[in-house]
Amino acid sequence: MRLSIAQIETKLNDKAYNLAKIERFLHEAKEHKSDLVLFPELGLTGYSIGPWLDEAAETPDGESVQHVQSLCKKLAIHTIFSFPERGQDGNYYVATVFINDQGEVVALHRKTHLYGEEQVHFTCGDEVQVFQSKFGVIGIMSSYDLEFPEIARILSKKGADLILIPSTNMAPYKTHQLAFTQCRAMENEVPLALCNRIGKEGDIEFIGCSSFVDAQGVTHLLLSNQEELHTIPVLLFKSADSKLDYILNNQPHLFKELC
């Protein structure tokens, strides 16, 4: 599989601008013979969308998602696309969809852990799912989800061959991001790709540093803080170190105190 990480800067509450940029990067990825393009969290609207959430949020079959679906079908390419979702229950979610090369929405992930002001505007998702793709079994986490090892462990135990993470991580948490991407991949023996945005919104500075880490925790790609698209070949295989075997050697009965 050829994976493209589209580390972009988005414009707050300007869906037309952001969709045009996403379209441009999808075309560029296709020129690089990419199979799958990973975009940042809330790539449709920008991060601090709370004050405009009622007008900006869409359903999973909304106009913007349908536009990206049509692009994926036209280009025969898969993508990870994130947007503020208006749920049928009346709540708002930080949502991510996986759209296949036929333009079909294969999976929807709702961010399970909300950071800071996100808790004022959004509701936590309550499912951790994997789904089948032509490349293997895929799991999705969203930004702050990365910092909770239980989420990646559940995805791994459900059979994920690859974990994809759209992100909006900001300063001063660069060290956290670099450490956690390696840890989540290494401790679950599953490759992991993270796409983080760049740019500023008010006092928030997004750090970029998007990466791909293999199942042994080796970082094969680490971007800077510039807007760019980088495409790499990815082998989806789990580590098979029988001496480690973190999953089978796990002792879940010890963790009951956490609950």
Side-chain angles (χ1 to χ4, degrees), residues 9 61 73 126 154 216 246:
E9 179 175 6
D61 60 353
K73 184 175 182 179
D126 59 5
I154 293 170
Q216 295 178 328
Y246 295 126

Side-chain angles (χ1 to χ4, degrees), residues 6-18:
Q7 181 171 277
I8 62 173
E9 179 175 6
T10 56
K11 186 176 290 187
L12 183 60
N13 197 29
D14 193 336
K15 291 197 280 190
Y17 174 90
N18 296 327

Side-chain angles (χ1 to χ4, degrees), residues 126-258:
D126 59 5
E127 292 187 87
V128 182
Q129 306 175 67
V130 298
F131 60 93
Q132 186 68 50
S133 75
K134 68 192 302 182
F135 313 112
V137 180
I138 304 289
I140 298 174
M141 299 191 294
S142 189
S143 200
Y144 195 42
D145 291 343
L146 172 67
E147 305 194 26
F148 296 85
E150 297 83 1
I151 303 303
R153 178 52 54 93
I154 293 170
L155 292 173
S156 176
K157 294 196 74 172
K158 287 187 172 183
D161 298 308
L162 172 67
I163 296 175
L164 299 174
I165 309 173
S167 184
T168 49
N169 192 30
M170 69 260 323
Y173 301 118
K174 177 179 178 179
T175 301
H176 296 66
Q177 179 175 302
L178 298 178
F180 290 140
T181 49
Q182 285 191 289
C183 285
R184 296 298 91 87
M186 186 183 296
E187 68 198 5
N188 293 291
E189 301 174 287
V190 176
L192 178 154
L194 178 144
C195 180
N196 192 44
R197 65 160 290 185
I198 62 163
K200 292 185 177 181
E201 289 181 8
D203 295 330
I204 302 175
E205 180 178 356
F206 302 97
I207 61 172
C209 297
S210 302
S211 62
F212 175 77
V213 183
D214 72 16
Q216 295 178 328
V218 178
T219 300
H220 292 268
L221 175 68
L222 179 60
L223 303 186
S224 65
N225 62 349
Q226 303 299 309
E227 185 168 87
E228 60 180 306
L229 180 133
H230 201 99
T231 304
I232 57 171
V234 171
L235 295 176
L236 300 188
F237 64 91
K238 297 181 180 180
S239 176
D241 190 331
S242 60
K243 295 180 181 178
L244 295 176
D245 214 345
Y246 295 126
I247 302 301
L248 289 180
N249 286 332
N250 201 0
Q251 302 294 324
H253 66 280
L254 299 176
F255 306 148
K256 60 185 178 181
E257 294 182 33
L258 290 175

Side-chain angles (χ1 to χ4, degrees), residues 21-109:
K21 179 172 287 190
I22 286 167
E23 181 171 353
R24 176 164 59 86
F25 272 76
L26 283 172
H27 278 275
E28 183 177 342
K30 186 63 178 180
E31 292 174 2
H32 294 175
K33 300 185 182 342
S34 177
D35 297 302
L36 169 62
V37 188
L38 176 59
F39 286 97
E41 182 184 65
L42 293 176
L44 175 63
T45 58
Y47 176 70
S48 306
I49 194 61
W52 303 276
L53 195 53
D54 188 55
E55 63 189 67
E58 297 189 17
T59 59
D61 60 353
E63 181 179 351
S64 297
V65 176
Q66 288 189 27
H67 180 66
V68 179
Q69 287 180 265
S70 67
L71 290 170
C72 289
K73 184 175 182 179
K74 175 183 176 182
L75 297 171
I77 200 167
H78 302 70
T79 195
I80 291 283
F81 173 67
S82 178
F83 64 100
E85 178 199 358
R86 177 182 288 105
Q88 292 184 345
D89 57 5
N91 294 319
Y92 297 109
Y93 299 92
V94 179
T96 299
V97 287
F98 181 93
I99 303 172
N100 68 16
D101 58 355
Q102 301 300 307
E104 301 164 331
V105 174
V106 176
L108 170 72
H109 170 74

